[in-house]
């Protein structure tokens, strides 16, 4: 596993992989030849992703863990190491939104978002990094967002997504000498349950919400989870070893 051109199967863990972007990333990395740990809050929730991977001839394992809980994270990573092999690819994708204007934002809204995105990425990365260092090879991809640049009603989420960019750059600096890269993907509007929840909250039909958003996007469409999976596939690839500490905005145009 430590050889750059090793033909042994590498093992990836994708958090929040039961649906949406995480599920698409898990399926894509399985297609790319990785064995995949499909981590989500409930083990049962990851079953559909695992079945899709297995049906396509890949190898995957469903894991139930809350990324903001250190014990659950350690247990899930140990299980992956025991059942699939040492994980050397980590995609910190699990996420939640608790949108509100600042004056209405509760401490719980703030803490939940910080815990899942920031504490979650920290705990997962801390749990996996030793496997990467032992292998002298690793790839970390963190899901940021165009909201990192500021977004109305998302003081908590924008802060967390900007924080993940600083986390990514620091990982790149600390772990580079071990052959480990860390990069962030900052998606714009991607059609998932998360954006549907926003439409629901605003009382707008999801189709209308999508059509309205697409008009503002230079490529005239919203993103699909596979658009993000494609970029993740690049970042974790063998050939991307000289690309580290970067944030790529995948938003169908230059502006959020
Ligand atoms: P989604 O809501 O469809 O899926 C998120 C997944 O994360 C769910 O399966 C959920 O169960 C899981 N999850 C939530 N909390 C968790 C926890 N504590 N532990 C483990 N798993 C947990 O969301 P999505 O749209 O696929 O978003 C995926 C990531 O991309 C998130 O980090 C999100 O912030 C980011 N993102 C999404 C968009 C978008 O437009 N959809 C844009 C920019 C960034």
């Amino acid at each position: 596993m430590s050889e750059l051109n090793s033909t042994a199967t590498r093992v990836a863990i994708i958090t929040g992989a039961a649906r949406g972007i995480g599920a698409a990333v898990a399926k894509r990395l399985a297609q790319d030849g990785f064995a995949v740990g499909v981590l989500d809050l409930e083990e049962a929730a990851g079953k559909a992703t695992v079945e899709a991977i297995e049906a396509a001839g890949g190898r995957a394992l469903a894991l139930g863990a809350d990324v903001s809980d250190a014990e659950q994270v350690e247990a899930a990573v140990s299980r992956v190491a025991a059942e699939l092999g040492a994980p050397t690819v980590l995609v910190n994708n699990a996420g939640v939104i608790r949108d509100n204007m600042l004056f209405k934002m509760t401490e719980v809204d703030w803490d939940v978002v910080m815990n899942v995105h920031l504490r979650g990425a920290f705990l997962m990365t801390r749990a996996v990094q030793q496997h990467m260092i032992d292998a002298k090879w690793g790839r970390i991809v963190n899901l940021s967002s165009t909201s990192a640049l500021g977004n109305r009603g998302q003081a908590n989420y924008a802060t967390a997504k900007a924080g993940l960019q600083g986390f990514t750059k620091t990982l790149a600096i600390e772990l580079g000498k071990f052959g480990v890269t860390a990069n962030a993907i900052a998606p714009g509007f991607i059609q998932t349950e998360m954006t549907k929840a926003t439409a629901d909250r605003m009382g707008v039909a999801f189709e209308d919400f999508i059509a309205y958003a697409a008009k503002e996007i230079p490529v005239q469409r919203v993103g699909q989870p596979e658009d993000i999976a494609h970029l993740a596939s690049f970042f974790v690839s063998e050939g991307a070893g000289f690309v580290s500490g970067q944030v790529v905005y995948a938003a169908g145009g230059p502006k959020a």
Side-chain angles (χ1 to χ4, degrees), residues 35 45 69 78 87 122 132 152 159 175 183 188 191 218 231 239 246:
D69 182 302
S78 297
F122 157 62
M132 298 181 176
R152 192 180 171 81
T159 302
L175 299 175
N183 291 285
Q191 189 175 340
L231 192 49
Q246 301 305 303

Side-chain angles (χ1 to χ4, degrees), residues 16 18-21 39-41 65-67 93-96 116-117 143-145 157 161 187-190 192-195:
R19 67 184 197 196
I21 294 170
L39 188 151
D40 212 290
L41 279 169
D66 177 343
V67 294
N93 164 84
V96 290
V116 177
H117 295 270
L143 266 290
S144 179
S145 167
Y157 185 80
K161 291 309 198 185
F189 189 124
I190 309 297
T192 68
E193 290 298 319
M194 185 177 274
T195 37

